[in-house]
């Protein structure tokens, strides 16, 4: 396919079908628009589920899915997605689009019946939020407390594990052999035995965020996970990132979404272990010079705050330390605006981080000093 066409052939009017874990049946949708410049496809979900259809005629009188649950108010389930048709979706025919007006909603993932499952749950009269019985979300500590290498829990197909400090992937494989989706995240945590994930033959999606310990030999291989259609990696070892990119890039044309960013060398990991703004490194809209100067100011603020609270004197300069921090970030943001809602929250999280560090070093409560620092920032910031 050329650059002006989706990597996997799909066109306006195409009706596509996919098996839905949420429904325990097949469901379908229709492509209503293709935007080559945005590399996106507008997709209308259909109000249908049933056995695997061979053609669009098997769907009968096609009707769009109209959402009335919660606060949807009767809107169509019509959304823009990345234009790569995932591997598990099959084109079963083409018909004139059921809707021709554009959609202004966007979601990176193509719908697989979750909205239809929620609507049917609502229509049954049950106003409790629909929850997927096949999905489990937990922390690494909760996982370790409940499961051992000898324990197996069938029926869990989507697993999300957060706050990973250290996790053995062999435990995941033995405890959850039916996984189709796996999401792992930490804060410079460590994954061991990552190659064991090749023993999950039904795996369709893998997400890893801010975890290390993997190397090139730990790479997932298409012959072991033939249903894989989404690989999303961020903040991972450079050698592992390179191996995964090389292995899976040829699979994109077969319906594999590949997003690998933030490959890190061991030296970067060592240097940034105590840098709460490290996620800014390489973020698309943050200028490189802006990142470097923000980190320099953060370090200067941390050192000044620590010196002030451990000096044994009255801490009248703390608000001024906060104002200096706010002023420098104002100047950086005015040159090339980059501090949006997420970055603003991350800056305040970073200030909390340095206050926690200082409190540990000082060995006493620094609630008042922390408040003075934040007050100083708030008094001057324009972001």
């Amino acid at each position: 396919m050329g650059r002006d066409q989706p990597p996997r052939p799909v066109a306006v009017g195409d009706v596509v079908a996919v098996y839905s874990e949420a429904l325990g049946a097949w469901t379908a949708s229709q492509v209503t628009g293709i935007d080559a410049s945005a590399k996106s496809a507008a997709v209308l979900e259909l109000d249908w589920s049933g056995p695997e259809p061979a053609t669009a005629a098997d769907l009968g009188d096609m009707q769009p899915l109209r959402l009335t649950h919660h606060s949807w108010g009767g809107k169509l389930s019509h959304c823009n997605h990345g234009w790569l048709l995932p591997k598990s979706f099959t084109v079963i025919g083409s018909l004139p689009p059921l809707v021709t007006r554009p959609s202004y909603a966007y979601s990176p993932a193509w719908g697989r019946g979750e909205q239809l499952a929620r609507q049917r749950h609502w229509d049954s009269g049950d106003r409790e939020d629909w929850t997927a019985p096949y999905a489990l979300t937990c922390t690494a500590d909760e996982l370790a407390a409940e499961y051992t290498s000898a324990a197996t829990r069938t029926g869990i197909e989507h697993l999300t594990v957060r706050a990973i400090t250290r996790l053995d992937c062999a435990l995941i494989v033995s405890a959850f052999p039916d996984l189709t989706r796996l999401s792992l995240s930490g804060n410079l945590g460590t994954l061991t035995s990552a190659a064991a994930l090749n023993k999950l033959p039904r795996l369709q999606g893998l997400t890893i965020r801010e975890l290390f310990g993997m190397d090139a030999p730990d790479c997932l291989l298409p012959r072991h996970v033939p249903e894989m259609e989404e690989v999303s990696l961020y903040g991972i070892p450079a050698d592992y990132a390179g191996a995964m990119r090389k292995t899976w890039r040829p699979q994109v044309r077969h319906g594999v979404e590949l997003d690998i960013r933030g490959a890190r060398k061991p030296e970067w990991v060592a240097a940034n272990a105590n840098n709460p703004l490290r996620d800014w490194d390489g973020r698309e809209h943050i200028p490189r010079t802006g990142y470097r100067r923000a980190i320099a100011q953060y370090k200067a603020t941390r050192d000044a705050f620590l010196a002030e609270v451990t000096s044994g004197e009255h801490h009248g300069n703390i608000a001024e330390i906060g104002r200096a921090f706010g002023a420098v970030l104002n100047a950086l943001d005015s040159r090339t605006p980059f501090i949006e809602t997420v970055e603003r929250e991350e800056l305040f999280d970073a200030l909390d981080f340095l206050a926690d560090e200082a409190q540990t070093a000082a060995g006493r409560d620094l609630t008042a000093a922390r408040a003075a620092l934040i007050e100083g920032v708030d008094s001057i910031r324009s972001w």
Side-chain angles (χ1 to χ4, degrees):
M1 289 288 122
R3 291 186 178 182
D4 59 345
Q5 297 180 358
R8 189 177 175 211
V10 66
V12 174
D14 280 354
V15 179
V16 299
V18 66
Y19 180 76
S20 169
E21 292 165 320
L23 298 164
W26 285 71
T27 190
S29 51
Q30 184 182 41
V31 178
T32 64
I34 297 285
D35 185 339
S37 62
K39 291 183 169 53
S40 66
V43 182
L44 176 71
E45 293 192 79
L46 302 179
D47 192 353
W48 178 89
S49 67
E52 182 176 3
T55 69
D58 293 338
L59 307 183
D61 180 20
M62 291 197 323
Q63 295 295 321
L65 175 59
R66 195 171 291 277
L67 304 175
T68 60
H69 67 83
H70 296 87
S71 59
W72 280 96
K75 293 180 180 178
L76 294 176
S77 186
H78 190 208
C79 193
N80 293 294
H81 310 293
W83 68 352
L84 175 63
L85 182 68
K87 180 187 288 187
S88 58
F89 284 71
T90 303
V91 177
I92 59 172
S94 183
L95 296 168
L98 293 180
V99 298
T100 56
R101 58 184 180 275
S103 169
Y104 298 102
Y106 184 83
S107 172
W110 288 58
R112 301 168 187 272
E114 295 89 349
Q115 281 287 23
L116 181 54
R118 291 187 181 95
Q119 186 61 50
R120 289 181 175 175
H121 181 76
W122 184 268
D123 290 343
S124 73
D126 192 337
R127 294 301 185 257
E128 296 292 327
D129 286 340
W130 176 82
T131 56
Y134 50 83
L136 173 65
T137 296
C138 61
T139 67
D141 288 345
E142 291 168 342
L143 187 73
E146 187 167 350
Y147 297 97
T148 67
S149 58
T152 298
R153 182 169 175 180
T154 58
I156 295 297
E157 298 178 343
H158 294 191
L159 176 64
T160 298
V161 186
R162 299 171 177 157
I164 296 172
T165 301
R166 189 176 187 86
L167 180 63
D168 185 352
C169 291
L171 169 62
I172 294 174
V173 172
S174 62
F176 304 98
D178 300 328
L179 288 183
T180 60
R181 304 270 163 183
L182 177 61
S183 178
L184 306 172
S185 62
N187 188 3
L188 295 191
T190 301
L191 285 184
T192 61
S193 306
L197 299 180
N198 280 291
K199 297 179 182 179
L200 294 171
R202 296 182 57 206
L203 197 63
Q204 290 182 311
L206 176 66
T207 298
I208 299 178
R209 292 283 184 275
E210 291 285 339
L211 293 170
F212 296 83
M214 310 85 80
D215 208 339
D218 292 311
C219 181
L220 280 180
L221 300 175
R223 67 177 182 271
H224 295 312
V225 285
E227 298 180 38
M228 181 64 70
E229 60 183 11
E230 181 183 357
V231 178
S232 179
L233 309 175
Y234 178 80
I236 33 81
D239 289 347
Y240 179 71
M244 289 287 281
R245 187 180 291 110
K246 180 179 179 180
T247 298
W248 288 98
R249 185 178 287 154
Q251 302 297 318
V252 171
R253 65 180 182 272
H254 301 304
V256 178
E257 183 72 35
L258 189 62
D259 182 12
I260 301 178
R261 294 172 291 116
R264 310 300 191 190
K265 295 285 188 180
E267 298 79 10
W268 184 95
V269 178
N272 285 276
N274 293 313
N275 174 11
L277 296 174
R278 59 177 172 267
D279 278 356
W280 287 18
D281 189 2
R283 191 171 293 180
E284 188 173 352
H285 72 283
I286 298 181
R288 188 67 187 166
T289 54
Y291 167 71
R292 287 199 300 265
R293 290 174 182 173
I295 293 302
Q297 184 58 38
Y298 168 77
K299 291 178 178 178
T301 302
R302 179 191 61 195
D303 293 345
F305 183 82
L306 180 59
E308 185 71 13
V309 299
T310 57
S311 65
E313 301 175 359
H314 181 66
H315 307 317
N317 293 328
I318 290 180
E320 186 55 41
I321 293 171
R323 283 191 288 272
F325 179 84
V328 169
L329 270 297
N330 285 350
L332 293 177
D333 192 51
S334 67
R335 294 169 190 164
T336 305
F338 66 90
I339 303 178
E340 300 175 2
T341 301
V342 170
E343 287 74 27
R344 181 170 63 249
E345 293 175 353
E346 289 170 336
L347 284 169
F348 281 109
D349 287 343
L351 294 173
D352 280 335
F353 183 84
L354 73 81
D356 287 340
E357 280 189 319
Q359 183 164 288
T360 299
R364 57 188 175 83
D365 182 73
L366 294 178
T367 300
R370 182 194 306 253
L373 180 69
I374 299 300
E375 182 180 349
V377 175
D378 276 333
S379 71
I380 196 171
R381 69 179 175 91
S382 58
W383 33 272

